[in-house]
Amino acid sequence: MHFLDDSLLPENQEKLVIQAAPYGPEWLPGDADDLPLTMDEHVQAAVDCYNAGATVLHIHVRELDGHGSKRMSKFNELIGRLREAVPDMVLQIGGSISFAPEDEGSEAKWLSYDTRHLLADLDPRPDQVTIAINTSQMNIVEIMTDDDLAGTSIAKPDYYKAYRDMVVEAGPDFYLEHLRRLRGNGIQPHFQLATLAQLETVERLIRCGEYTGPLVLNYVAIGGGFAGRHPADLIEFVRRVPDGAVLTIESSMRAVAPMNAIAIALGVHVRVGNEDNLWARKGERMSSVRQVEQMTQIAHTLGRDVATGAEAKEIYHIGEYYTDTDETLARLGMVPNRRPGQRGFMLRDTPR
């Protein structure tokens, strides 16, 4: 993304899109005060986040016993109810479905490729499904402190080890087929990326025609195989993202607010919620709704407008698809592919 002299002026920035992740699939009841159990509670969490200013909803589903649901019927039921309760929100399904261990001593793991592919067949269909690119470690506790985990189930040694050793399985066999199925069913992929290597893989998918469409993505700074919290790495990732992409910053625990404050100032978007963070000040719990309210307050302090639901759908290019590689490169502001025999640095096409 290119920054001109006027790029930090809030009146020149896109309105802020706030993603809310209020379903905390890694936590168990009691870990947070606002974890939904019943379907009514799932819906109310969405309504409350929307009323606070969130316009994108990152969705997981929990069974009544407190564990993450793996039943597609539960996702279908929730999406149907959310379409009525929060019709203006972008509904984004978490592509892991559920990675939480079933009990102490079990592995924390992403579900099989075949199971994750079922998300493309949800009915009603969501607006987006998140997609990981390239297999990597996902040790979510690596940069969490004892204070972060105090009083939660993950503080127990068996659960801690389960999350420490978790791996995201997302090789080419997965993402090529998943992208094909999502496109075939009119669902936009939301790329969850943490490194420049993953971003470069996505660019190659675009340049070879495996993916043609809007580039909507999160920079995931949770450590443990994903990006860390160094501001220079964040800035470099923002710099490398194509001008026409839609970028959201995602971090963990008490780093969420400062990382997101940088994002708001830069003109990109933010994610909050109990899936990412449980805390305000050290030792002070913070609900998903309060986290959304905090982001709207920071945005207003900086003079940046917060998007409505309709505006978020437009910013996210919901329902848009591109015909081929050339159109995708042009719409994303990327230089065209090299023609046979063409020498020199590539430039964007301009009228002669």
Side-chain angles (χ1 to χ4, degrees):
M1 292 176 165
H2 286 81
F3 287 82
L4 305 178
D5 290 340
D6 61 1
S7 293
L8 296 186
L9 301 179
E11 66 269 21
N12 293 331
Q13 296 174 335
E14 276 187 327
K15 292 185 178 181
L16 176 67
V17 175
I18 302 174
Q19 289 181 26
Y23 300 117
E26 73 272 38
W27 307 115
L28 292 175
D31 290 344
D33 295 334
D34 61 339
L35 288 179
L37 281 179
T38 68
M39 191 59 65
D40 286 346
E41 290 171 345
H42 281 73
V43 174
Q44 191 62 50
V47 171
D48 293 343
C49 287
Y50 176 74
N51 289 338
T55 47
V56 177
L57 184 69
H58 182 75
I59 299 168
H60 294 274
V61 186
R62 183 172 276 101
E63 297 283 356
L64 292 177
D65 65 2
H67 289 90
S69 179
K70 300 174 177 61
R71 292 191 289 161
M72 294 299 119
S73 60
K74 296 282 285 186
F75 284 86
N76 289 333
E77 179 183 359
L78 180 56
I79 294 169
R81 292 192 57 177
L82 291 173
R83 287 295 185 202
E84 296 184 2
V86 285
D88 289 335
M89 290 192 91
V90 175
L91 300 185
Q92 175 193 102
I93 300 294
S96 66
I97 302 176
S98 174
F99 49 70
E102 291 297 318
D103 49 46
E104 291 187 57
S106 298
E107 289 183 294
K109 60 182 181 180
W110 286 43
L111 300 186
S112 70
Y113 290 178
D114 287 343
T115 302
R116 281 185 268 164
H117 287 327
L118 294 176
L119 294 176
D121 297 320
L122 291 173
D123 184 19
R125 70 187 182 196
D127 297 300
Q128 296 182 313
V129 170
T130 63
I131 181 170
I133 299 292
N134 296 335
T135 297
S136 64
Q137 189 73 41
M138 189 180 176
N139 172 7
I140 65 172
V141 298
E142 182 181 73
I143 56 176
M144 292 184 184
T145 67
D146 291 343
D147 291 326
D148 290 331
L149 298 175
T152 74
S153 58
I154 300 181
K156 297 178 180 180
D158 284 345
Y159 280 113
Y160 185 93
K161 183 178 184 300
Y163 284 110
R164 184 198 68 188
D165 296 338
M166 184 164 58
V167 172
V168 177
E169 293 285 350
D173 277 349
F174 168 70
Y175 59 69
L176 291 172
E177 177 64 16
H178 207 54
L179 288 171
R180 185 189 67 79
R181 294 192 187 200
L182 292 176
R183 173 65 183 265
N185 289 322
I187 300 171
Q188 183 187 88
H190 189 113
F191 295 91
Q192 297 285 100
L193 307 180
T195 67
L196 291 178
Q198 293 168 352
L199 180 63
E200 289 170 346
T201 293
V202 174
E203 179 174 349
R204 294 181 191 111
L205 292 173
I206 292 169
R207 290 194 175 278
C208 73
E210 292 288 354
Y211 176 69
T212 54
L215 179 54
V216 186
L217 69 155
N218 277 21
Y219 174 73
V220 186
I222 60 175
F226 282 58
R229 297 169 177 168
H230 200 300
D233 294 337
L234 166 62
I235 296 294
E236 178 61 11
F237 193 92
V238 173
R239 191 181 73 83
R240 291 284 295 275
V241 166
D243 295 335
V246 182
L247 176 62
T248 294
I249 306 306
E250 172 185 342
S251 188
S252 69
M253 293 304 189
R254 287 186 295 124
V256 168
M259 292 284 282
N260 282 351
I262 296 171
I264 293 172
L266 291 176
V268 296
H269 307 288
V270 298
R271 171 172 138 160
V272 294
N274 59 33
E275 182 170 340
D276 303 335
N277 177 42
L278 301 177
W279 306 101
R281 295 180 182 271
K282 186 175 180 179
E284 177 188 340
R285 289 294 181 93
M286 192 179 199
S287 69
S288 296
V289 169
R290 280 187 59 205
Q291 293 179 53
V292 174
E293 291 171 344
Q294 183 185 56
M295 293 303 106
T296 63
Q297 181 180 5
I298 293 173
H300 290 154
T301 299
L302 293 177
R304 186 173 172 193
D305 296 327
V306 176
T308 66
E311 290 167 338
K313 290 181 179 180
E314 183 176 355
I315 291 168
Y316 263 46
H317 305 284
I318 297 299
E320 291 185 22
Y321 298 95
Y322 306 150
T323 56
D324 55 25
T325 298
D326 290 340
E327 182 187 3
T328 303
L329 293 172
R331 294 288 293 271
L332 295 180
M334 300 167 68
V335 297
N337 285 331
R338 187 179 303 278
R339 296 188 298 274
Q342 184 177 7
R343 294 187 177 189
F345 291 104
M346 301 301 297
L347 300 172
R348 293 179 178 87
D349 288 329
T350 57
R352 293 184 179 275

